[in-house]
Amino acid sequence: MKKSILSLVLAVVTGFTATAATPIDGVKKEVKTAESTVTWKGYKVTGSHYGTIALKEGALIFDGDKLTGGEFVVDMTTLIATDLEGEYRTKLEGHLKSDDFFGVTKNPTSKLVFKKVKATGKNSYKVTGDLTIKGITKPVTFDISVYGSKASANLKVDRSLYNVQYGSGSFFDNLGDKTIYDEFDLVVDLAF
């Protein structure tokens, strides 16, 4: 009799634990890549450069109206500078796509996968995710706001963590005014 009760208790506890640990399947909302933008801005001692890069694909995951996840792929071959024109623009874009920076021939995409999403307000969330650039994956934390079928986020990315060394004071001494700061900004506006 004691074995039967113990077996029943274990079955109930084990069943409850398995049920409680099962994640809720959310609603996956595909991002409209043509209506979404990713703007970048990099800084150097003597100024800055900025431009855009296109999303290849992406989705946000919701449980009701609560954000619970997301995954995005960026097409690194679309990286452009919008602050320059002509020869200077062509040179900068070529350099950013070269192995000195993002090596887009070998690494044509970058990826962001949400790992943890915590509500910080009615439409605001703190996200911790895995960002992969040049085949290297590192954690990144940022804030995202969701309003209706739109979302926006601002990320600071430390390029030195992804072996993007060119002009970095973290890797080279005596660069002077040729120093390019390690952190760059991404401003992401999503439509879904």
Side-chain angles (χ1 to χ4, degrees):
M1 179 73 170
K2 285 183 182 180
K3 281 186 180 180
S4 297
I5 292 173
L6 181 59
S7 297
L8 180 61
V9 168
L10 285 174
V12 169
V13 169
T14 305
F16 177 76
T17 304
T19 303
T22 303
I24 297 171
D25 289 328
V27 175
K28 186 176 184 179
K29 296 186 180 182
E30 298 292 330
V31 170
K32 298 174 184 173
T33 56
E35 298 173 33
S36 300
T37 59
V38 179
T39 305
W40 60 267
K41 188 169 187 177
Y43 304 90
K44 56 186 181 173
V45 171
T46 57
S48 63
H49 289 293
Y50 56 87
T52 62
I53 191 163
L55 283 172
K56 184 173 183 175
E57 60 186 308
L60 292 171
I61 301 168
F62 292 86
D63 178 14
D65 62 350
K66 303 281 188 227
L67 180 66
T68 59
E71 186 169 321
F72 301 89
V73 177
V74 173
D75 182 353
M76 296 299 291
T77 66
T78 66
L79 188 146
I80 61 169
T82 56
D83 66 317
L84 298 173
E85 293 181 5
E87 178 185 351
Y88 293 109
R89 177 178 176 170
T90 302
K91 283 183 178 179
L92 178 59
E93 290 173 2
H95 199 197
L96 291 173
K97 292 177 183 179
S98 77
D99 288 341
D100 279 348
F101 283 91
F102 297 104
V104 301
T105 300
K106 295 176 193 165
N107 303 283
T109 61
S110 290
K111 187 174 187 177
L112 173 65
V113 178
F114 291 13
K115 292 297 185 180
K116 181 180 175 186
V117 180
K118 180 182 177 187
T120 56
K122 183 177 179 188
N123 299 311
S124 304
Y125 302 87
K126 172 91 49 202
V127 174
T128 301
D130 284 341
L131 179 61
T132 303
I133 298 174
K134 291 182 76 171
I136 299 168
T137 302
K138 297 288 181 181
V140 64
T141 300
F142 59 94
D143 295 319
I144 186 169
S145 299
V146 180
Y147 297 97
S149 61
K150 301 217 180 271
S152 61
N154 295 308
L155 291 80
K156 281 210 174 286
V157 179
D158 182 347
R159 68 187 178 101
S160 68
L161 299 175
Y162 302 93
N163 200 30
V164 181
Q165 298 181 11
Y166 186 86
S168 169
S170 296
F171 296 97
F172 304 101
D173 295 328
N174 304 317
L175 292 170
D177 65 359
K178 303 287 187 203
T179 301
I180 302 168
Y181 297 117
D182 288 337
E183 284 192 333
F184 64 91
D185 296 328
L186 294 175
V187 177
V188 183
D189 291 305
L190 305 172
F192 54 91

